[in-house]
Amino acid sequence: MGDYKVCPTGIEGLLNEPVTAKELGLKLQSVLNHDVILASPDENQIIESVGIITGGANSDWALAQKAGLDAYITGGISEHDWHESQENGIHMFAGGHYTTEIFGILALMRKTQMHCHIECVFIDSDNPA
């Protein structure tokens, strides 16, 4: 979906069951165990398709819009992206830079342990960002 310094980033797909923007925000809050900011033109609209780029890809909501997606999930959000995503009809969810990136690090740790037989330790942080 995205491109960072000539490297592809993110994913896009369809939800198994369509949900409202509000419902997706609550589900994300539960999964991430972190507050989620929702910038939505209408939190009762149904979401079927989603793009995700973890971390600080807040301006890439425009890529989700260009791809014809209903929603975009990332870590951070800026003031202008909060307004612009809504004005352009995209439901944008910001779940925290750190918390949205943990999944990738934990997956990499498991693969490293499995394939390289190296003991790995994940040191969690209370980083609120």
Side-chain angles (χ1 to χ4, degrees):
M1 187 183 113
D3 177 52
Y4 180 74
K5 297 184 179 181
V6 195
C7 292
T9 60
I11 59 169
E12 60 183 78
L14 300 174
L15 298 176
N16 288 333
E17 292 184 32
V19 295
T20 66
K22 185 176 184 176
E23 290 169 331
L24 182 56
L26 292 172
K27 178 68 173 177
L28 288 169
Q29 222 165 276
S30 174
V31 168
L32 296 172
N33 194 27
H34 190 277
D35 289 339
V36 173
I37 297 170
L38 168 59
S40 175
D42 178 356
E43 65 182 23
N44 294 310
Q45 281 184 331
I46 297 295
I47 294 176
E48 298 182 58
S49 57
V50 178
I52 303 171
I53 303 177
T54 63
N58 42 304
S59 293
D60 286 341
W61 63 265
L63 297 174
Q65 180 199 29
K66 186 177 178 181
L69 304 174
D70 300 325
Y72 176 64
I73 301 168
T74 192
I77 190 167
S78 65
E79 189 272 339
H80 70 91
D81 289 313
W82 187 85
H83 288 288
E84 292 171 6
S85 61
Q86 291 179 81
E87 291 166 2
N88 285 278
I90 292 290
H91 305 276
M92 183 173 172
F93 300 85
H97 188 125
Y98 176 79
T99 56
T100 59
E101 290 191 335
I102 290 174
F103 299 98
I105 296 302
L106 291 174
L108 177 61
M109 182 179 83
R110 286 189 293 274
K111 281 195 176 262
T112 301
Q113 289 172 324
M114 184 185 312
H115 297 290
C116 300
H117 307 288
I118 297 172
E119 183 179 341
C120 300
V121 176
F122 176 72
I123 302 171
D124 203 357
S125 170
D126 290 332
N127 187 332

